[in-house]
Amino acid sequence: QSWIAEAKRCLPATRVQRDDLHVERNATHVSLQGECSDWELVHDLETNTLDTCVEVAELESRSGFAERSFRLTNQSSAAVPFEIVDGDVFTSQITSAPHGICNLGPRKQQEVVVRWRLPPQQAIVSLFKSASSGADPCLTLSQDGSLVQHDRLIIKGVHSKHAKTVRLRGIVRLPALSISTQSLDFSDCLIGNQSIRSLHIANKGRVACSWRAHFVSSDNRDTQVFELDRSHGELSPFIDQSGDNRTELQVRFLPTSHRQYSTTVVFKDTLGLYVHLVKLTGSVLLDER
């Protein structure tokens, strides 16, 4: 370290690399072994994270890949040789050095193209379940119900023990079907009279949501006395609080005999990501007239 300090004091014009400290002045060149300051390679991302977003309907139309890019800048006065270690589902490509080590000149920039290998559309349901259960730490769900694949690229200086990491997130925009209640009770209704209750379904996702509903019951007589005013539809993506992403459904109960009724309505989005069950119950009030 004292040799390095002395060389830097005597010869202030320096060129720095990680493993060798090169000190230059006029035509004189001195090479000393020692630890040096960190290499001056920076990227133009606002944070260390690069997001790539696609909608679920686009997965097959993009030929299996989506691309983003960022720039690396060498801020030092010396060339910086580096390489990029790819992730599991993201890969990088540098035009000037497609097969490994890139030598970035002083004060120069280099564009890095990042390719995300998109999940196939038929795998979305299984990936969604893994993200929901937390079984795979590389898969999560965002607040709007989007599927997020996490990965990283590691940028390593050839003459450096240090590395810089760019976190990568591949985001698949999905519909997110929600429902306002899990049960509706139609109590004390007269035979031949109609009772109506309401529920709301909404889409909290950033893409449109198609949905369907059907009755499930062990006794067919129970399903015949309940009726939905609609059994399918489409909800707009959630953008703001305008209300276009939600709708009201009316459920009618028209009993035909003195007994207890019970059935279940199953709501599903067409992708099969969300399944909501609403239990319907009804009882009959005796007419004392």
Side-chain angles (χ1 to χ4, degrees), residues 193-219:
N193 285 3
Q194 179 178 263
S195 180
I196 298 176
R197 301 284 188 273
S198 297
L199 58 85
H200 293 84
I201 58 174
N203 175 25
K204 297 181 179 180
R206 297 294 184 90
V207 295
C209 177
S210 296
W211 61 273
R212 291 186 176 277
H214 65 276
F215 290 97
V216 176
S217 178
S218 57
D219 191 333

Side-chain angles (χ1 to χ4, degrees), residues 43 47-49 151-155 163-168:
H43 54 66
T47 66
N48 285 336
T49 302
D151 205 350
R152 64 180 183 173
L153 297 180
I154 300 175
I155 307 169
K164 298 183 184 296
T165 299
V166 177
R167 294 187 299 271
L168 305 169

Side-chain angles (χ1 to χ4, degrees), residues 54-286:
V54 300
E55 295 185 4
V56 64
E58 300 175 334
L59 291 179
E60 303 304 327
S61 62
R62 287 176 173 262
S63 302
F65 290 94
E67 291 186 352
R68 286 288 306 278
S69 63
F70 63 93
R71 289 188 305 272
L72 289 172
T73 302
N74 178 11
Q75 294 184 336
S76 70
S77 57
V80 175
F82 70 95
E83 61 180 339
I84 298 180
V85 180
D86 291 335
D88 294 328
V89 295
F90 284 82
T91 57
S92 62
Q93 183 175 3
I94 300 175
T95 305
S96 61
H99 301 297
I101 296 175
C102 177
N103 197 56
L104 187 56
R107 314 298 181 188
K108 298 294 185 181
Q109 290 186 334
Q110 174 66 62
E111 184 180 38
V112 179
V113 178
V114 180
R115 300 188 78 196
W116 173 28
R117 186 170 66 249
L118 299 173
Q121 199 167 37
Q122 60 268 24
I124 287 298
V125 173
S126 60
L127 293 176
F128 180 84
K129 290 179 179 179
S130 295
S132 301
S133 64
D136 187 345
C138 294
L139 292 170
T140 60
L141 295 179
S142 63
Q143 289 185 344
D144 63 8
S146 297
L147 177 68
V148 184
Q149 280 192 311
H150 299 268
D151 205 350
R152 64 180 183 173
L153 297 180
I154 300 175
I155 307 169
K156 300 171 62 177
V158 174
H159 300 290
S160 174
K161 296 179 182 178
H162 295 274
K164 298 183 184 296
T165 299
V166 177
R167 294 187 299 271
L168 305 169
R169 295 190 303 189
I171 302 171
V172 182
R173 300 294 190 196
L174 299 173
L177 182 67
S178 66
I179 200 158
S180 61
T181 184
Q182 296 181 338
S183 63
L184 289 176
D185 181 45
F186 300 80
S187 58
D188 299 335
C189 183
L190 294 173
I191 292 178
N193 285 3
Q194 179 178 263
S195 180
I196 298 176
R197 301 284 188 273
S198 297
L199 58 85
H200 293 84
I201 58 174
N203 175 25
K204 297 181 179 180
R206 297 294 184 90
V207 295
C209 177
S210 296
W211 61 273
R212 291 186 176 277
H214 65 276
F215 290 97
V216 176
S217 178
S218 57
D219 191 333
N220 191 47
R221 293 178 299 171
D222 289 342
T223 61
Q224 292 175 349
V225 297
F226 292 99
E227 180 184 345
L228 283 173
D229 63 347
R230 280 166 291 161
S231 61
H232 59 88
E234 182 165 317
L235 300 170
S236 300
F238 176 79
I239 299 175
D240 51 37
Q241 301 296 332
S242 62
D244 292 339
N245 66 308
R246 59 184 181 270
T247 189
E248 182 183 64
L249 293 179
Q250 290 188 340
V251 186
R252 298 180 178 87
F253 174 57
L254 185 61
T256 57
S257 61
H258 294 285
R259 57 187 296 269
Q260 297 289 325
Y261 294 91
S262 178
T263 190
T264 300
V265 186
V266 181
F267 291 88
K268 290 183 179 181
D269 64 276
T270 53
L271 290 175
L273 303 176
Y274 293 88
V275 179
H276 296 287
L277 306 181
V278 179
K279 186 174 182 180
L280 308 179
T281 55
S283 60
V284 176
L285 180 67
L286 292 177

